[in-house]
Amino acid sequence: QVQLVESGGGLVQAGGSLRLSCAASGRTFSNYVMGWFRQAPGNEREFVASISRSASSTYYADSVKGRFTNTRDNAKNTVYLQMSGLKPEDTATYYCAAKTILTKDYNYWGQGTQVTVSS
């Protein structure tokens, strides 16, 4: 089992920045691909970003490319999502998730942290 706890959400004005953190415990963190997803009210959950086990590769949704940066610190068992140039449409609950390279789907999910961007 892997336990994930997100933090860092909040209320920010459009154009502002936030950094989300996701702390993992329970298993060897560096064994897991980490992802960020978000879900706005009335919408389906959508992929935001992911990062490989060694941080050598990152992937982003087109909607956040160039504005969000996904990093990880395997020594601290933590993954980060630096969000800049925030827009009202970025408002959502953000979730981090973990999976091994053996699975297609993410197996473990955090409880989510709310990000609200005011115009």
Side-chain angles (χ1 to χ4, degrees):
Q1 285 282 8
V2 176
Q3 292 79 43
L4 302 172
V5 179
E6 302 97 334
S7 61
L11 174 64
V12 64
Q13 288 189 333
S17 299
L18 280 175
R19 188 177 80 156
L20 306 183
S21 300
C22 174
S25 62
R27 291 287 180 94
T28 304
F29 180 66
S30 58
N31 285 346
Y32 293 87
V33 174
M34 300 299 297
W36 288 95
F37 294 77
R38 67 186 181 187
Q39 187 169 20
N43 290 359
E44 293 187 354
R45 186 170 58 196
E46 63 176 0
F47 169 80
V48 174
S50 66
I51 188 165
S52 63
R53 295 174 297 168
S54 65
S56 59
S57 299
T58 53
Y59 302 93
Y60 299 93
D62 288 343
S63 58
V64 307
K65 204 171 291 183
R67 300 188 298 121
F68 290 11
T69 303
N70 193 11
T71 60
R72 68 190 293 164
D73 185 336
N74 286 343
K76 295 184 178 179
N77 292 351
T78 302
V79 62
Y80 305 96
L81 186 68
Q82 178 67 47
M83 306 185 295
S84 303
L86 283 162
K87 305 174 182 179
E89 51 264 43
D90 293 319
T91 295
T93 301
Y94 283 71
Y95 300 89
C96 73
K99 74 179 191 75
T100 70
I101 60 171
L102 300 177
T103 63
K104 174 186 175 185
D105 297 325
Y106 286 82
N107 310 97
Y108 304 101
W109 294 84
Q111 83 290 349
T113 185
Q114 178 67 35
V115 171
T116 303
V117 184
S118 63
S119 57

